[in-house]
Amino acid sequence: MKFDASQHRCTIIIDKDLPAGLAINAASVIGISFGRTTENLVGPDMQSLDDVNYPGVIYSPLPVLLAPGSYIQELQRIAKEENLYAMPFSALAQSCKTYDEYGERISSVSSENIELVAIGLMGPKKRITKLTGNLALFK
C-alpha cells in the first residue's frame, strides 16, 4: 500500500484484556511491520543543528486503541471484505520462542482458528474512523 496522510488513517487496536507488556509487544511488532510494508508511511531522516541524525518518523498520528478480542476478530473480517490494509497479530505469535516455530505453527492452522490479540488497520480516513472512533485510547 502507498500511504497518503491526506487521505489515509492508520491505527493499532489491542485486545483490552492483554497485559501491558504483551500489548506493548503487539503494538511494536505491528508498527515495525507497517513501516516495512507501507510505502510513504515513514518520512525521511532529519538532522539536528549539530548534525545528529534522527530517523524518519510516521507522517500521521498512529493511535493505539483498546477493544474486546471479539471486535478485533470482526475488524479482520471487515478489512478482508472491504479491502482495507490489515496487519493482524496473533496470540500464537506471542507464544512462540523462535520465528521458525511461529512459521511451523501458523501454517498448520486455518485463519478462522487463530486468536488475534491486536490488529493494525490502514485505509480511507472516514472508514477507519467509523470502525475505530468509539474505541478507548490505550493509556
Side-chain angles (χ1 to χ4, degrees):
M1 174 177 184
K2 184 171 183 177
F3 187 79
D4 180 342
S6 70
Q7 297 178 23
H8 299 120
R9 180 177 174 107
C10 58
T11 187
I12 297 173
I13 303 96
I14 306 289
D15 187 322
K16 67 179 184 62
D17 295 323
L18 208 58
L22 292 177
I24 291 167
N25 171 260
S28 64
V29 169
I30 290 171
I32 289 169
S33 296
F34 266 163
R36 178 177 170 262
T37 62
T38 307
E39 185 181 350
N40 203 44
L41 183 63
V42 177
D45 291 358
M46 301 289 180
Q47 284 70 43
S48 64
L49 182 62
D50 56 345
D51 287 326
V52 173
N53 190 65
Y54 290 85
V57 297
I58 190 168
Y59 276 114
S60 70
L62 179 61
V64 179
L65 307 171
L66 296 171
S70 59
Y71 189 60
I72 293 170
Q73 297 290 145
E74 178 71 5
L75 288 171
Q76 170 74 349
R77 184 191 62 74
I78 292 168
K80 186 176 180 180
E81 287 176 2
E82 297 184 14
N83 202 30
L84 300 173
Y85 190 69
M87 185 71 59
F89 189 68
S90 67
L92 186 137
Q94 286 189 321
S95 72
C96 295
K97 301 284 187 228
T98 67
Y99 201 75
D100 287 340
E101 177 188 358
Y102 172 59
E104 289 174 19
R105 291 183 58 198
I106 200 128
S107 65
S108 67
V109 182
S110 178
S111 63
E112 68 261 7
N113 295 320
I114 296 174
E115 175 192 2
L116 298 183
V117 295
I119 190 167
L121 291 179
M122 201 177 302
K125 282 184 175 183
K126 286 183 180 180
R127 186 59 182 140
I128 299 299
T129 299
K130 185 173 181 181
L131 291 170
T132 63
N134 65 332
L135 300 177
L137 189 63
F138 183 89
K139 296 180 184 180

